[in-house]
Amino acid sequence: MSPRPSSPTIPEGRDSDGVDFRNVVGILARRRNWVFGVPLALCALVVAYLLVAHPAYTGTAQVFVDPRDQYTPKDDPLQNSVPGDGLLLVESQLKIITSNEVLNRVIEQMNLQNDPEFNGERVGLGRLVKALIGLGKPEDRALVTLRNLRKKVTTRRIDRSFVIDILASADTAPRAAALANAVATSYLEEQAGANSAFQRRTSEAISAQLGKLRQEVKRGEEAVAAYKAANNLVGARSRMVSEQQLDEANTQLTNAKTRLADAQARVRLIETIEHGDAGLDAVPEAMQSAAIVQLRGRLADASREEAQLAQIDGPNHPALQAARAQVRDVQAAIQRELKTIARSVRNTYASERTNVQTLQANFDALKTQSQANEKLLVPLRELERKAESSRIVYESFLAKAKTAEERQGIDTTNIRLISRATTPENKSWPPAMIMLAAAIFAGLTIGIALALARDYFDRQDRGPEPDAVAEPDVPARAAAEPAPAFRPAVIAQHHAGRLSALSEDLLAAPQGHTMVLVQVQRAAWLDDVALQLARAVIANEMDVMLVDADLARHRTTSRLGFDKAPGLRDVMAGIAAINEVVQLHKPTAMRIVPVGLSAVAERDPRARQALSLAFRQLRDFDRVIVDGGEMGSTASEFGLYYLADEVVFLAQGPGGKSEDAAILVDLLKLRQVKARVVFVEPDVSVAA
């Protein structure tokens, strides 16, 4: 064997061969009439619409909706607060603004029923079309005006605020501003009227209940009075007379018992003194008595006089005897006064005891009467509670009726117009620049899609795919069989002799030469070229390795019956080595690497490295033929063209995608990759 040449050097930093981009650019360049014609047609339609469309101007008025209603001095402001953030209330106002009540006010104020812009009598393209096809049925003018006005009036709430924008559209700028202001004014009037009507209905509803409540209060109070009279219960609303008497008797009895205890204590003291050595002058009453004090003073004077006379006169002196008699008289008077005080204390004690007994009997009687009344008070309290509750409800309703009557003329809704609509300067419809930009963008998108689709269908110039294809080892048929038949069973034989130039170049190449075959257009006879070249190498007693790198269609793998065998995909995925996936086709003694079963991610650098290593190992064979599938397939994304010694583009004829292949050949040659285009026809094969 001759020395194997080194593989071509791949320039650094090159991740892709650029086939897909060049292919698309070439298609768009050939189909530029589609690419630019569709946008021009759409722009023409937009311009025509702009010329016939009625312009529209939009005026904007702003109102502020405070969720907290205004309140009168009699109201509690906390009761009028709205729970939460009040956004639900503001969102509800958006629907009220476009309600029939508000819009009918606007129609009446601006006389829109006689305006052709709103009453449906304006002549337009849509009306003419409906009249021609018989759909222009007469409708009520008021309903048509209301429907058209609702279409021209929109509302929106400004984010993070309670401000509402009222937008109204019209054919002229002043009319748009006037319409927006009319809607805002009508909305405020409708809200004020609704609030007044609500207060009036509330007052009427409450007043209708006052008579009934008044009768209930009267019946309740009459029931309480009748029950008291029937059971002889006298007293104020809160307490009965028997209860007051019982409290007073209890107080008197308590005080009498206290006085009795004091009198009893003084009597016991007197009895103790009388049975002891102490005199009655130790009794508190004796110490506080004025008579005792006076008698003690006289006793002191008499005793002092007796002492003086005893020093001067003898014991039997009449003056001394008289002084002593006076002392004895005063002492006797004191004793009599003390006994009188003791009797008085005992009399007081007896009186207090009698009083206590009397008060105790009176208290027991009142207590018995109170206990009897308690049973009668239970139904009375129930009647009083009912009467009191009826009275409270009646007073509450009476106050609310008065408040509602006073508030009928007060607008408690906190809604105001904060910005009147001004005359708009620019049209809001139709947006000419936006429509033209959209037409250009949509036209380019549709044009590119149509160009690519047209090019794809133009390449489908062959008949439907055959249901069965002959294996490469099918015996060759007569060369004289007519070529235009294109029967799948004979296509391979037709080209066996007509690809001799390409076969000779492959046979003349050095050992380990790798050739990649790429189909420029999809055709049945181009699917057989790789198999025919492999059979030519085997016929010259050389080892050949056929690699199916057509990841999209893998026709070679299918024809040889290796669809379920591991192959190139598994090598690129790192699941198997290249020597593990080589299959032997026994009828032809051909070695083949099927397409495989694993999924491979696009532009996976690990897959590209595995593919490069596999191709280096396959160079041990005399020749390596790679079926690269159709130009632009996924195999080229892994640098397949740079791993081979030669890339051959198989085309049906000049023109079409052959020009793209020629451009690609030039690019590959610039990157030191040998490449050429070979035209293959059913009857003719020309190398270019």
Side-chain angles (χ1 to χ4, degrees):
M1 294 185 182
S2 59
R4 184 175 290 106
S6 61
S7 60
T9 304
I10 301 176
E12 295 181 358
R14 193 173 57 187
D15 295 331
S16 174
D17 48 25
V19 174
D20 292 341
F21 176 75
R22 290 290 182 176
N23 190 16
V24 173
V25 171
I27 293 174
L28 297 181
R30 293 194 307 273
R31 308 287 182 178
R32 55 184 174 274
N33 293 336
W34 287 91
V35 176
F36 297 106
V38 175
L40 291 176
L42 292 181
C43 289
L45 292 176
V46 171
V47 171
Y49 173 77
L50 294 176
L51 293 176
V52 300
H54 292 284
Y57 296 84
T58 301
T60 304
Q62 290 183 331
V63 295
F64 172 71
V65 180
D66 193 342
R68 301 166 299 176
D69 288 346
Q70 296 177 352
Y71 54 92
T72 60
K74 293 184 179 181
D75 293 330
D76 183 5
L78 298 178
Q79 295 179 354
N80 291 328
S81 61
V82 178
D85 53 7
L87 292 181
L88 292 179
L89 174 63
V90 180
E91 293 293 338
S92 300
Q93 301 303 312
L94 299 178
K95 299 299 181 182
I96 296 177
I97 294 175
T98 57
S99 63
N100 292 348
E101 296 295 331
V102 175
L103 296 183
N104 283 329
R105 283 176 177 265
V106 177
I107 293 173
E108 182 178 356
Q109 291 177 5
M110 301 187 68
N111 194 21
L112 297 182
Q113 286 191 7
N114 298 322
D115 190 343
E117 181 183 354
F118 294 93
N119 60 14
E121 296 180 357
R122 183 171 64 181
V123 179
L125 181 60
R127 186 177 181 186
L128 293 176
V129 172
K130 290 182 178 180
L132 290 176
I133 62 178
L135 296 179
K137 297 180 180 180
E139 295 182 278
D140 182 57
R141 177 180 292 186
L143 294 178
V144 174
T145 305
L146 180 62
R147 182 169 62 249
N148 291 334
L149 179 60
R150 180 173 285 109
K151 292 179 181 179
K152 292 179 177 291
V153 177
T154 57
T155 57
R156 67 187 179 191
R157 181 181 65 85
I158 300 178
D159 293 339
R160 303 178 66 83
S161 71
F162 296 142
V163 178
I164 296 177
D165 285 342
I166 301 177
L167 299 92
S169 300
D171 290 348
T172 61
R175 191 63 179 278
L179 186 61
N181 291 328
V183 173
T185 304
S186 299
Y187 164 65
L188 296 178
E189 294 175 354
E190 177 63 24
Q191 287 297 98
N195 177 74
S196 178
F198 171 75
Q199 298 295 342
R200 183 174 61 256
R201 292 193 303 270
T202 302
S203 178
E204 293 174 355
I206 294 176
S207 299
Q209 295 291 327
L210 288 178
K212 179 180 178 181
L213 295 175
R214 189 182 299 110
Q215 293 298 326
E216 290 182 359
V217 173
K218 182 179 179 181
R219 286 194 297 268
E221 292 180 347
E222 289 178 350
V224 172
Y227 186 83
K228 286 183 177 180
N231 294 278
N232 195 22
L233 298 175
V234 182
R237 179 177 300 177
S238 58
R239 297 187 66 188
M240 305 304 298
V241 173
S242 59
E243 294 178 354
Q244 297 177 2
Q245 292 176 347
L246 181 63
D247 291 343
E248 293 176 359
N250 184 39
T251 302
Q252 293 175 0
L253 179 61
T254 301
N255 295 334
K257 287 182 178 181
T258 302
R259 293 194 300 271
L260 177 61
D262 293 339
Q264 186 178 8
R266 290 196 298 273
V267 169
R268 289 178 180 176
L269 177 61
I270 291 173
E271 291 177 351
T272 302
I273 292 173
E274 290 177 346
H275 293 84
D277 297 334
L280 291 174
D281 55 355
V283 178
E285 284 78 359
M287 297 177 66
Q288 297 174 358
S289 175
I292 296 297
V293 172
Q294 184 178 5
L295 290 174
R296 286 179 177 175
R298 290 174 56 188
L299 178 62
D301 293 339
S303 297
R304 185 169 53 253
E305 183 178 359
E306 180 186 5
Q308 291 176 357
L309 291 175
Q311 292 177 1
I312 298 174
D313 298 330
N316 296 321
H317 192 276
L320 179 62
Q321 293 294 327
R324 288 177 177 173
Q326 186 179 2
V327 169
R328 288 193 296 272
D329 292 339
V330 173
Q331 290 177 346
I334 291 174
Q335 291 298 323
R336 289 192 299 271
E337 185 65 25
L338 290 175
K339 291 180 179 180
T340 301
I341 292 174
R343 286 194 300 271
S344 176
V345 170
R346 287 187 175 93
N347 292 335
T348 301
Y349 169 72
S351 176
E352 291 294 340
R353 183 173 58 190
T354 303
N355 186 31
V356 167
Q357 292 175 353
T358 303
L359 291 176
Q360 182 67 45
N362 185 31
F363 176 79
D364 293 340
L366 291 175
K367 182 177 179 182
T368 302
Q369 182 181 359
S370 177
Q371 291 175 351
N373 290 339
E374 283 295 331
K375 298 180 180 179
L376 299 175
L377 290 177
V378 173
L380 177 62
R381 293 191 183 98
E382 181 65 25
L383 293 175
E384 289 178 344
R385 281 193 294 269
K386 290 182 179 180
E388 184 66 20
S389 62
S390 299
R391 186 183 303 107
I392 292 174
V393 173
Y394 172 71
E395 292 175 353
S396 175
F397 268 69
L398 186 62
K400 289 181 179 180
K402 185 63 176 177
T403 302
E405 183 179 357
E406 293 177 354
R407 294 178 64 175
Q408 289 184 20
I410 302 176
D411 185 11
T412 59
T413 58
N414 200 0
I415 302 175
R416 62 183 184 272
L417 180 64
I418 62 175
S419 177
R420 296 184 61 84
T422 58
T423 303
E425 298 180 356
N426 301 319
K427 294 186 295 184
S428 59
W429 184 265
M433 298 304 297
I434 296 177
M435 294 181 67
L436 288 174
I440 294 174
F441 177 78
L444 288 175
T445 303
I446 297 174
I448 292 173
L450 291 176
L452 296 175
R454 182 62 183 272
D455 187 82
Y456 174 80
F457 287 111
D458 286 348
R459 289 187 283 108
Q460 307 300 318
D461 53 355
R462 73 185 193 279
E465 290 293 336
D467 295 335
V469 181
E471 297 290 344
D473 57 339
V474 176
R477 299 196 177 183
E481 188 173 357
F486 299 119
R487 289 196 300 241
V490 301
I491 288 177
Q493 180 61 25
H494 271 293
H495 296 298
R498 303 193 182 275
L499 296 176
S500 58
L502 189 59
S503 301
E504 292 176 359
D505 294 341
L506 180 60
L507 294 174
Q511 184 177 0
H513 184 77
T514 302
M515 176 184 289
V516 176
L517 302 177
V518 182
Q519 298 180 24
V520 177
Q521 299 95 358
R522 186 181 299 180
W525 55 86
L526 297 181
D527 293 336
D528 295 328
V529 175
L531 292 173
Q532 295 302 320
L533 292 179
R535 293 187 61 180
V537 175
I538 293 175
N540 284 272
E541 299 181 352
M542 294 183 182
D543 292 334
V544 64
M545 174 58 69
L546 181 59
V547 180
D548 189 355
D550 185 1
L551 303 182
R553 297 173 62 231
H554 47 83
R555 300 287 293 177
T556 301
T557 299
S558 298
R559 293 189 178 189
L560 297 182
F562 294 111
D563 286 326
K564 298 183 179 180
L568 188 62
R569 289 178 178 269
D570 303 278
V571 174
M572 297 171 66
I575 299 176
I578 189 65
N579 58 351
E580 297 174 351
V581 299
V582 176
Q583 306 291 335
L584 174 64
H585 187 253
K586 295 181 180 180
T588 59
M590 185 184 303
R591 302 284 181 175
I592 179 175
V593 176
V595 72
L597 306 174
S598 301
V600 181
E602 295 183 358
R603 302 185 183 275
D604 188 351
R606 293 175 298 179
R608 182 168 182 169
Q609 295 174 2
L611 186 64
S612 176
L613 177 62
F615 270 64
R616 287 198 299 268
Q617 295 177 358
L618 291 178
R619 291 183 180 275
D620 292 336
F621 287 84
D622 294 332
R623 301 292 183 272
V624 180
I625 301 174
V626 181
D627 184 359
E630 189 177 359
M631 185 174 64
S633 61
T634 56
S636 61
E637 299 177 359
F638 299 99
L640 178 65
Y641 298 166
Y642 303 108
L643 302 178
D645 298 322
E646 182 179 8
V647 180
V648 177
F649 293 93
L650 305 175
Q652 300 181 40
K657 294 184 67 174
S658 299
E659 299 176 1
D660 300 339
I663 295 174
L664 186 57
V665 167
D666 295 337
L667 292 175
L668 293 175
K669 288 181 179 179
L670 291 176
R671 299 185 181 185
Q672 300 179 358
V673 177
K674 182 179 179 181
R676 55 177 169 162
V677 178
V678 174
F679 299 123
V680 181
E681 296 293 339
D683 294 323
V684 182
S685 176
V686 181

